Amino acid sequence: MKVYKFGGTSVGSAERMKQVAELINGDEPKIVVLSAVSGMTNQLVQLTEAYRIGDSKTVQEVVAGFRPRYDEIIEGLFGDSNFVEGAQAFVAEKYELLGSFETNNFGDEQEKTILAQGELISTNLMQMYLESINVNSALLPALSFMKTVDGEPDYDYITDQVNAVLSQHQDVQLFITQGYICLNENGEVDNLRRGGSDYSASIIGACVDADEVQIWTDIDGMHNNDPRFVEGTEPVEQLHFDEAAELAYFGAKILHPASVLPTKEKDIPVRLLNTMDPQAKGTTISSAITGEGVKSIAAKDGITAIKIRSSRMLFAYGFLKKVFEVFEKYKTPIDMITTSEVAVSLTIDDTTYLKQIVEELESLGHVEVDTDQTIVCIVGQFLQEESKVEGQIFNALQQLPVRMISYGGSSHNISVLLGAEHKVTALNLLHEELFLPVC
Ligand SMILES: Nc1ncnc2c1ncn2[C@@H]1O[C@H](COP(=O)(O)OP(=O)(O)O)[C@@H](O)[C@H]1O
Ligand SMILES: N[C@@H](CC(=O)OP(=O)(O)O)C(=O)O
């Protein structure tokens, strides 16, 4: 069994959906995970915001805005009028549902139900299209097997349920399911957070012991730098699970940060492939350790740096424990940390409890907070005795005000903290220094 995942851009139009159908049609057994058509989840988020503030006009406008997009997709997908009518009736029910919530009684449950509709629409349209071209496939409703408890996948439940549903369709080799959506421990509709379809594919892959998970998107694999900000980036052929996890966590949008773990645990290779160029090699992520030196650079925005300065740190022990306890109390993960004899600097990206954290840290020392920072993360295999990378990084960034550097935490990550306004310059300078030949 293989698990394929197609992102929003890969199902963003009738033409793309037909391309996907061609790619997944074949004898090999497959579970195909689809995202919502590109932009749809953003619009659904906008819709939930309008409901929250009681803005009925925007609610009606957003819902009306769905129609032309899906009309075009349905028209492009189906020749037969029965299928056109069936698909139109299906989306009409969704528009009705999306416009039917009460603004004065709108909470998390309603919000999650709305956010789930994008994936429900794209998968149903794909299933109808496959039927229309006589491809034998079945819809595998994600809400019948994908469950989280305290936000974490319930692997035992998912494994039992997904295998039970699969065994009900012995004559089918091709299954279509929704990414991103799930039920929570209370049986309510929930999701795996934005970009979570990659995570769905990886969880499903682990639960069915897949031979491989393929993530199909609009680019030929993980590039050696962020193609949105740097020109001339190139795909990286091989990455270790840990390298891919670091890149995903530190901003490489092509992969959801949590999606590496389930496949790593089961040692299932993940391939990142391009729907628009299916022959391209892409990137293979596996347990193989390959190559030395820098493989890729990523950047994560929205970082807050906190510095705690205290002369009580001098010759003392237990100070860091007290600092960490504050973050533990507010369930706030720390990304980077550096220390001197009189100060600790660390970064967080979740600022929900920043005020409370700062208040408590002030009892330990003088606290300074810098918002709007970016972590630039350089990933690869760095053999410390031989590595020239540190020198190259200092060289590349010498003109920029670097706020923190984290090196040595692992042999495959060097992280640098800068003000967000320096991100694009830093990515480009590092690219030049680390990847481009010296003329
Ligand atoms: N290092 C990187 N390598 C490849 N793509 C990257 C990288 N960093 C960011 N991206 C962006 O990720 C995008 C693909 O991810 P995403 O938009 O989530 O795709 P999908 O809609 O298929 O889920 C690419 O178009 C690219 O702009
Ligand atoms: N549709 C969801 C889930 C997802 O994974 O989408 P994509 O694969 O297009 O990033 C989102 O936009 O967050």
Side-chain angles (χ1 to χ4, degrees):
M1 179 71 89
K2 286 188 178 170
V3 176
Y4 285 38
K5 179 260 169 173
F6 292 89
T9 40
S10 302
V11 291
S13 66
E15 195 195 338
R16 293 267 160 83
M17 282 193 171
K18 286 179 169 177
Q19 226 172 333
V20 169
E22 226 170 276
L23 282 166
I24 60 180
N25 193 5
D27 293 336
E28 238 181 358
K30 290 178 203 88
I31 299 177
V32 175
V33 178
L34 300 184
S35 296
V37 301
S38 56
M40 180 67 182
T41 310
N42 287 345
Q43 284 170 299
L44 293 172
V45 169
Q46 204 193 336
L47 182 61
T48 61
E49 285 166 357
Y51 271 118
R52 288 237 186 234
I53 57 167
D55 180 354
S56 310
K57 188 167 166 272
T58 303
V59 165
Q60 296 315 318
E61 278 169 10
V62 175
V63 175
F66 296 139
R67 200 179 290 275
R69 180 95 189 262
Y70 288 111
D71 278 352
E72 200 180 322
I73 292 179
I74 291 170
E75 200 177 304
L77 276 181
F78 306 106
D80 184 319
S81 61
N82 286 331
F83 278 101
V84 174
E85 277 166 28
Q88 283 293 8
F90 174 77
V91 288
E93 261 179 45
K94 294 294 180 193
Y95 306 147
E96 203 180 321
L97 170 77
L98 290 169
S100 69
F101 293 87
E102 285 172 27
T103 45
N104 57 0
N105 184 25
F106 194 84
D108 290 352
E109 213 182 320
Q110 289 75 13
E111 175 176 315
K112 301 287 174 56
T113 302
I114 288 183
L115 294 180
Q117 302 309 316
E119 271 69 14
L120 289 167
I121 298 178
S122 62
T123 46
N124 274 277
L125 291 179
M126 178 60 81
Q127 173 63 17
M128 287 181 206
Y129 176 64
L130 291 168
E131 273 172 39
S132 77
I133 57 168
N134 297 316
V135 172
N136 187 20
S137 62
L139 203 57
L140 203 62
L143 300 182
S144 71
F145 65 85
M146 188 60 83
K147 184 176 148 195
T148 56
V149 175
D150 286 336
E152 293 298 318
D154 182 344
Y155 285 101
D156 291 338
Y157 177 90
I158 300 166
T159 303
D160 288 349
Q161 295 298 314
V162 79
N163 286 303
V165 190
L166 288 179
S167 65
Q168 287 163 12
H169 296 277
Q170 300 283 1
D171 56 329
V172 180
Q173 300 281 46
L174 177 59
F175 295 91
I176 309 295
T177 191
Q178 297 85 25
Y180 177 60
I181 65 174
C182 62
L183 291 183
N184 65 21
E185 60 275 25
N186 302 320
E188 297 153 348
V189 176
D190 207 333
N191 61 60
L192 301 172
R193 293 196 281 277
R194 296 303 307 273
S197 299
D198 298 340
Y199 194 22
S200 304
S202 178
I203 295 166
I204 296 169
C207 291
V208 301
D209 273 323
D211 305 319
E212 186 171 286
V213 172
Q214 299 186 358
I215 310 272
W216 289 81
T217 179
D218 60 350
I219 191 164
D220 53 348
M222 178 74 79
H223 276 218
N224 60 0
N225 206 327
D226 194 321
R228 294 169 296 178
F229 307 111
V230 178
E231 273 181 37
T233 60
E234 295 196 358
V236 181
E237 261 183 50
Q238 287 274 348
L239 284 173
H240 185 271
F241 286 119
D242 294 342
E243 294 168 338
E246 299 267 14
L247 287 166
Y249 184 75
F250 285 107
K253 184 173 178 277
I254 185 171
L255 210 53
H256 183 277
S259 64
V260 178
L261 195 64
T263 41
K264 181 188 171 188
E265 300 257 295
K266 290 276 185 101
D267 201 6
I268 299 168
V270 178
R271 295 179 66 203
L272 306 181
L273 295 159
N274 188 355
T275 316
M276 271 59 93
D277 183 8
Q279 302 310 322
K281 270 193 185 147
T283 301
T284 301
I285 302 166
S286 71
S287 53
I289 296 173
T290 53
E292 279 172 25
V294 180
K295 291 197 178 159
S296 184
I297 306 168
K300 184 175 176 179
D301 298 322
I303 301 294
T304 297
I306 303 171
K307 187 193 275 183
I308 308 117
R309 216 157 9 97
S310 170
S311 49
R312 273 182 281 155
M313 267 182 88
L314 272 171
F315 308 111
Y317 55 83
F319 186 83
L320 279 180
K321 180 171 179 264
K322 289 186 191 131
V323 170
F324 289 147
E325 275 168 356
V326 175
F327 289 88
E328 190 187 356
K329 178 172 170 191
Y330 291 103
K331 294 192 167 71
T332 301
I334 296 168
D335 284 327
M336 275 176 86
I337 174 153
T338 55
T339 66
S340 81
E341 198 45 38
V342 288
V344 187
S345 273
L346 42 79
T347 69
I348 57 172
D349 72 343
D350 179 354
T351 52
T352 317
Y353 298 106
L354 180 63
K355 192 169 161 278
Q356 292 89 326
I357 288 172
V358 170
E359 270 167 22
E360 294 208 17
L361 289 175
E362 274 167 348
S363 67
L364 300 174
H366 175 75
V367 181
E368 283 168 42
V369 176
D370 284 325
T371 54
D372 213 10
Q373 305 286 301
T374 291
I375 295 177
V376 173
C377 173
I378 298 110
V379 167
Q381 294 294 332
F382 310 127
L383 303 172
Q384 264 138 12
E385 323 72 73
E386 294 160 26
S387 178
K388 298 195 299 266
V389 177
E390 312 87 304
Q392 288 177 296
I393 294 171
F394 277 115
N395 199 28
L397 302 180
Q398 56 183 308
Q399 306 296 343
L400 296 181
V402 171
R403 169 86 167 66
M404 278 168 76
I405 298 176
S406 175
Y407 173 53
S410 83
S411 58
H412 49 252
N413 174 347
I414 301 175
S415 296
V416 178
L417 185 77
L418 304 123
E421 67 276 22
H422 302 297
K423 173 177 90 171
V424 176
T425 314
L427 288 174
N428 279 280
L429 288 171
L430 286 166
H431 196 75
E432 225 170 273
E433 179 79 34
L434 296 167
F435 297 122
L436 300 187
V438 186
C439 300

